[in-house]
Amino acid sequence: MGESTARRRESMSDQALIEGTGADWKTWLALLDERGAADLDHTAIARMLVGEFEIDGWWAQSITVGYEQERGLREPGQRPDGTFSASASKTVAAPVGAVFEHLADPERQAAWLGGLELSQRSASPPKSVRFDASDGSQVYANLTAKADRTVIGIEIAKLGSAEDAAAAKAAWKDRLGRLAEGLG
């Protein structure tokens, strides 16, 4: 089993795929190869799965990503546009409104961002905020209230490589740790 097969199978087992679609990875890979999917873009592969095989959109996306990774068309973590993304999360002991204020307020950001600058693109207080970052990435923050705690979920998009994604994940874990300390 190749490295990409191992990664793909870690994310979705043959059993889950059979239960969701009626076929295993080997079958889906063969069907897509027969139809020339290696020469198609992501959207065309997913549309083929939905249209020709009547697969639900979620399953079509999952099979498409797995196929692209297996055939070397996409690295793990790579988006259809060729960029990479990463994510980080932290649960903090603070109400969602207070967390949103620390996250979205430019004056409070300096205390926990560590030199990175964020320019707000949009916000839906107190649940989400989107930023353009000074390093060229885009940052999407989603907040979920859980009793007296808040879960902060961060997605960092528009990264240039898998290495950039790994570095961004580590940096954002540190930033979220500093944000949590500032809330205490």
Side-chain angles (χ1 to χ4, degrees):
M1 179 183 324
E3 184 180 336
S4 63
T5 302
R7 276 195 218 131
R8 177 180 36 74
R9 289 194 180 183
E10 285 174 12
S11 65
M12 183 181 305
S13 70
D14 270 339
Q15 187 60 40
L17 196 58
I18 291 167
E19 290 173 12
T21 68
D24 63 7
W25 277 115
K26 183 177 177 182
T27 302
W28 282 116
L29 293 171
L31 287 169
L32 290 170
D33 283 341
E34 287 171 10
R35 285 159 178 79
D39 296 325
L40 301 176
D41 68 14
H42 178 89
T43 303
I45 297 169
R47 282 188 182 145
M48 178 194 327
L49 288 165
V50 170
E52 194 170 326
F53 298 101
E54 299 181 1
I55 298 298
D56 174 82
W58 186 90
W59 286 106
Q61 289 297 324
S62 297
I63 293 167
T64 301
V65 169
Y67 179 80
E68 291 171 327
Q69 290 175 358
E70 179 67 22
R71 297 301 183 245
L73 305 172
R74 178 197 300 226
E75 291 182 49
Q78 190 174 25
R79 310 283 297 199
D81 67 0
T83 64
F84 290 77
S85 63
S87 61
S89 65
K90 178 93 175 155
T91 301
V92 296
V96 70
V99 175
F100 183 87
E101 297 229 354
H102 271 76
L103 188 65
D105 183 352
E107 292 180 20
R108 294 182 185 182
Q109 290 171 351
W112 58 271
L113 277 176
L116 183 70
E117 294 181 15
L118 299 177
S119 173
Q120 187 173 310
R121 298 179 71 184
S122 63
S124 295
K127 295 189 178 226
S128 67
V129 62
R130 293 175 170 246
F131 302 99
D132 288 321
S134 58
D135 64 1
S137 66
Q138 292 179 346
V139 178
Y140 313 128
N142 290 297
L143 306 175
T144 305
K146 299 279 186 180
D148 60 344
R149 298 179 180 271
T150 301
V151 177
I152 307 168
I154 300 287
E155 180 186 356
I156 311 97
K158 302 293 181 191
L159 300 167
S161 68
E163 294 78 18
D164 291 346
K169 182 178 186 82
W172 274 95
K173 282 184 174 263
D174 289 343
R175 290 179 184 120
L176 290 175
R178 289 192 299 272
L179 174 63
E181 289 170 10
L183 288 163

